[in-house]
Amino acid sequence: MELEDPTMEGFTIKLTIKFGGKSIPLSVSPDCTIKDLKSLLQPITNVLPRGQKLIFKGKVLVETSTLKQSDVGSGAKIMLMASQGLHQGEGPVLKEASTRPISRTVVPDKAELTRPGLLVDKNRTDRWKATGVIALAQANLKEIPKEVWDCGSAVRVLDISENFIKEVPARISSFGSMQKLFLQGNGLSDESIQWEGIASLKRLLLLSISHNNLTVLPSAVGSLTSLRQLDVANNKLTSLPNELGLLTQLEILKANNNRLSTLPESIGNCSFIMEIDLSANILSELPETFTKLRNLKTLEVNNTGLKTLPSVLFKMCLQLSTLGLHNTEITVEFLRQFEGWEDFDERRRTKHQKQLDFRVVGSGKFDEGADKSW
């Protein structure tokens, strides 16, 4: 598919961008600057403009020059070199990414090969019913076992993550008391999930569907009005539904490592949200409604195309103390011009000092995270 510059008018020239073993066809105006060309390539390649080096006939093209001034004509082939660390995510969009965790056990052992499927003894089923917790992660399952369905309304937690589940049927609605559902790492596609079943789980507090192959998060997710945590990271989502704003009890949203280019304005209705991770997407801006998130403490937007933030973010979000902006176009100097910067910076420093103090008296690895270079 040939991509066109939406700003071009009249005469155009056809280019081929060579990147990562792929050829990207473009139609642009000869008056397009190299800087504009880089911006056009950003959502296609997942490489930030400042991480792009465009080479034509052995020479690096200068950002301020136009294609015409650079003697780049129709039919030209331009090589794109990407600086390490300036990708939005794990690599180019054009490259197929793995959807399962590295630690996942894919090859069954000899014992697994000798049995037709998961064997569930009666004692185990009784224990599931008594505790309400069914933990079947990494069990080489291709479907949800019959014994699980037999537990019905007794189920409070169902963990079938990192399996090979091919279908989440509407029948899952029979787990009316379920509070936590873990579906991550199954390679699920959009067709694999019967969302009307999940949408009926009115008591659900946590839904994890990360590390799958989902391209759409349907509007039905808005029915989960009790939800506190939603993890849709490491999929292929290009947008989030407007119904996200119906999740007014949501506290944690993880949507990193997707293909999101915009966010719904309705996210501002999620007034209880404390943590948002949107890293490794192709966002260029955030909705102004982010300023309504008065309980927001952590915002991670690393490895995105962000060039600015809502102008009164620091002034309105008085709980914000962690802001991840690695590998974006936003600089600390730019942020210092925002109203409320001083108070935010004080909260950030106070939080990190507490973490440092804990490191001295505690144990374990310490990670300053988003602000470690400030």
Side-chain angles (χ1 to χ4, degrees):
M1 179 179 69
E2 186 174 290
L3 299 169
E4 297 186 352
D5 179 356
T7 63
M8 67 186 181
E9 296 181 1
F11 178 68
T12 63
I13 58 176
K14 296 183 181 296
L15 307 176
T16 300
I17 310 297
K18 309 292 288 185
F19 176 61
K22 301 287 186 177
S23 296
I24 306 170
L26 294 175
S27 290
V28 295
S29 166
D31 295 322
C32 173
T33 65
I34 304 305
K35 183 177 182 180
D36 291 338
L37 180 59
K38 289 181 177 181
S39 295
L40 185 63
L41 288 169
Q42 177 184 332
I44 305 169
T45 62
N46 264 3
V47 181
L48 298 172
R50 62 190 173 95
Q52 297 180 32
K53 183 183 292 186
L54 296 177
I55 301 174
F56 177 61
K57 292 185 177 179
K59 295 182 179 180
V60 178
L61 297 177
V62 180
E63 279 197 346
T64 55
S65 300
T66 66
L67 291 171
K68 185 177 181 180
Q69 292 170 337
S70 305
D71 295 325
V72 177
S74 192
K77 296 181 180 179
I78 299 176
M79 180 179 295
L80 169 57
M81 307 264 312
S83 298
Q84 187 174 6
L86 290 177
H87 282 79
Q88 298 174 157
E90 301 302 320
V93 173
L94 296 171
K95 182 179 179 181
E96 192 70 24
S98 173
T99 59
R100 294 191 176 101
I102 296 175
S103 61
R104 175 187 172 93
T105 303
V106 176
V107 180
D109 57 24
K110 292 182 179 180
E112 191 68 36
L113 293 172
T114 61
R115 60 184 185 180
L118 181 73
L119 299 179
V120 183
D121 58 58
K122 185 177 184 300
N123 290 337
R124 194 177 193 183
T125 304
D126 290 342
R127 185 169 68 251
W128 287 347
K129 291 180 179 180
T131 64
V133 178
I134 301 177
L136 291 173
Q138 298 184 349
N140 290 306
L141 299 176
K142 293 184 178 180
E143 62 182 20
I144 301 175
K146 175 183 179 298
E147 292 81 3
V148 171
W149 297 116
D150 291 342
C151 295
S153 59
V155 179
R156 293 184 300 106
V157 178
L158 175 59
D159 185 354
I160 50 175
S161 59
E162 298 184 41
N163 281 290
F164 302 91
I165 302 295
K166 297 179 179 179
E167 182 185 11
V168 182
R171 186 181 178 186
I172 202 167
S173 62
S174 63
F175 301 146
S177 299
M178 188 153 60
Q179 298 177 1
K180 297 181 180 181
L181 176 58
F182 298 90
L183 297 171
Q184 69 267 24
N186 275 289
L188 294 168
S189 65
D190 296 332
E191 296 76 24
S192 301
I193 303 177
Q194 300 296 314
W195 277 96
E196 63 269 25
I198 293 180
S200 66
L201 302 175
K202 302 302 182 181
R203 298 184 182 181
L204 198 64
L205 302 177
L206 182 153
L207 174 61
S208 178
I209 49 176
S210 65
H211 292 87
N212 283 298
N213 291 311
L214 304 177
T215 64
V216 175
L217 185 64
S219 59
V221 75
S223 298
L224 301 174
T225 52
S226 295
L227 208 61
R228 301 292 194 277
Q229 299 183 44
L230 176 60
D231 187 352
V232 295
N234 291 278
N235 279 286
K236 300 176 181 178
L237 301 176
T238 57
S239 64
L240 297 177
N242 287 328
E243 288 76 10
L244 183 71
L246 298 175
L247 306 181
T248 56
Q249 302 301 310
L250 195 64
E251 297 176 356
I252 297 175
L253 172 62
K254 296 183 179 181
N256 50 294
N257 288 282
N258 277 287
R259 301 286 181 253
L260 302 176
S261 58
T262 60
L263 296 172
E265 295 279 342
S266 62
I267 195 172
N269 297 329
C270 302
S271 56
F272 282 97
I273 205 160
M274 295 185 290
E275 178 182 337
I276 300 178
D277 191 345
L278 298 167
S279 300
N281 279 288
I282 51 178
L283 297 165
S284 59
E285 61 181 4
L286 299 178
E288 285 292 329
T289 52
F290 258 68
T291 59
K292 297 169 63 177
L293 304 179
R294 306 300 169 82
N295 291 295
L296 185 63
K297 295 181 179 180
T298 299
L299 175 58
E300 300 285 357
V301 285
N302 304 294
N303 299 301
T304 62
L306 281 183
K307 298 178 180 179
T308 187
L309 293 171
S311 58
V312 292
L313 183 69
F314 297 143
K315 178 184 177 181
M316 305 303 290
C317 298
L318 299 179
Q319 299 296 317
L320 187 63
S321 58
T322 299
L323 177 61
L325 291 169
H326 290 318
N327 297 328
T328 68
E329 299 291 305
I330 300 175
T331 64
V332 178
E333 290 71 22
F334 177 73
L335 293 178
R336 288 194 177 113
Q337 303 172 33
F338 280 47
E339 186 176 1
W341 159 261
E342 293 81 5
D343 291 337
F344 162 73
D345 194 39
E346 180 61 29
R347 292 193 300 272
R348 181 183 67 83
R349 292 176 183 275
T350 300
K351 177 183 177 181
H352 287 171
Q353 186 58 52
K354 289 180 179 179
Q355 290 175 324
L356 286 168
D357 293 343
F358 177 77
R359 185 183 184 189
V360 171
V361 298
S363 61
K365 184 179 178 182
F366 169 69
D367 181 9
E368 286 187 68
D371 304 305
K372 62 186 176 183
S373 63
W374 289 15

